[in-house]
Amino acid sequence: ILSLLIHNEQNKEQAPPVLLLIIKLFGSNKTMSSSNKKSRVWKTPFTVAFRCRLPIISAPMAGVSGGLLAARVCKAGGLGMIAAGHFQDISKLEKEIQIFQEEMKNIPATGTTTDDRSHSQQQSADLSIGFIGFSALSTPNGWKDYEYILKHHRPKAVQFFAPSIIHQPNDGLSNVQLAHEYNTQFIAQVGS
C-alpha cells in the first residue's frame, strides 16, 4: 500500500479517487522528515491527530489483536489497537490492556510520538481500543463497562464499527460523546 501511495502521489491524474483520499489523509513520501530511517516522522493529519510517527493503524480484529500486537505496532511508530470485540467480558479486555502496558514498559522507546511526552506517559497514552458496536453496547452493562474503560484506562482512541455511532436508550448520549467526555479520540470505521 505504501508504494501505491508514493507512486500515486507522483501520478495524481492516474490515481483512483479512493487512493487520492488516502494520500490526503495519510500523506506521501514527501511528508517524511529526517534522513535516518529509524527516526523518520510523517507529518500528516493522521499522525498529528493521533500523535504517532507513521500513518499506520492496526485493525482491531476480535480474537486476534491483543495487547502484545498493539504495543508492538505503537513501538514501531503506528497506532496499535486492542480488540474489545463484542465486549462481553471486561476482564478479558483488562488482561489485554495489562499485557499492552507491560509490553510498552519492556520495549525501548523509539520516538513513536510527535509530542514531548516522557516514555512513562507514552506507555499509557498510546492505548487504543476497537469495539463491535451492535453487541458491545447492546446492554446497560455494556455502556457501564465502556465508561469504566474510558474513565480508568484513558485510551488515546476508541474505534467502533457495525454500527459506528450508537446512542444510549435513556438519555441519548452517544458513544462518541462519552469518549469525548474522557478526552478520548473517536474513530468511526466505515465500509460497504
Side-chain angles (χ1 to χ4, degrees), residues 98-158:
Q98 183 179 11
I99 290 168
F100 173 85
Q101 292 168 336
E102 288 301 314
E103 187 67 16
M104 291 297 284
K105 289 178 191 173
N106 294 332
I107 300 174
T110 58
T112 60
T113 61
T114 56
D115 59 18
D116 294 326
R117 294 175 296 153
S118 72
H119 181 54
S120 62
Q121 289 172 318
Q122 177 185 320
Q123 291 168 7
S124 59
D126 283 338
L127 176 65
S128 298
I129 305 168
F131 298 85
I132 298 172
F134 76 88
S135 55
L137 300 181
S138 63
T139 66
N141 278 344
W143 282 96
K144 183 183 75 155
D145 290 346
Y146 174 57
E147 185 167 15
Y148 172 86
I149 292 296
L150 292 170
K151 182 177 182 178
H152 289 84
H153 294 289
R154 301 290 181 164
K156 176 195 311 194
V158 292

Side-chain angles (χ1 to χ4, degrees), residues 9 23 26-33 41-45 47 55:
E9 172 68 15
I23 290 168
F26 295 103
S28 70
N29 62 335
K30 294 178 183 177
T31 61
M32 275 194 254
S33 62
V41 175
W42 289 48
K43 187 164 180 146
T44 69
T47 59

Side-chain angles (χ1 to χ4, degrees), residues 90-100:
I90 193 171
S91 65
K92 288 181 183 178
L93 177 57
E94 288 197 296
K95 180 180 176 188
E96 294 302 325
I97 290 171
Q98 183 179 11
I99 290 168
F100 173 85

Side-chain angles (χ1 to χ4, degrees), residues 31-107:
T31 61
M32 275 194 254
S33 62
S34 177
S35 60
N36 180 348
K37 287 184 180 181
K38 287 188 177 182
S39 64
R40 283 189 178 164
V41 175
W42 289 48
K43 187 164 180 146
T44 69
F46 180 87
T47 59
V48 171
F50 293 102
R51 299 180 315 273
C52 55
R53 195 168 46 84
L54 300 171
I56 295 172
I57 182 171
S58 64
M61 298 173 289
V64 177
S65 303
L68 181 63
L69 179 60
R72 299 261 171 107
V73 170
C74 288
K75 288 306 208 169
L79 180 64
M81 303 285 290
I82 295 174
H86 297 285
F87 197 43
Q88 303 303 309
D89 185 353
I90 193 171
S91 65
K92 288 181 183 178
L93 177 57
E94 288 197 296
K95 180 180 176 188
E96 294 302 325
I97 290 171
Q98 183 179 11
I99 290 168
F100 173 85
Q101 292 168 336
E102 288 301 314
E103 187 67 16
M104 291 297 284
K105 289 178 191 173
N106 294 332
I107 300 174

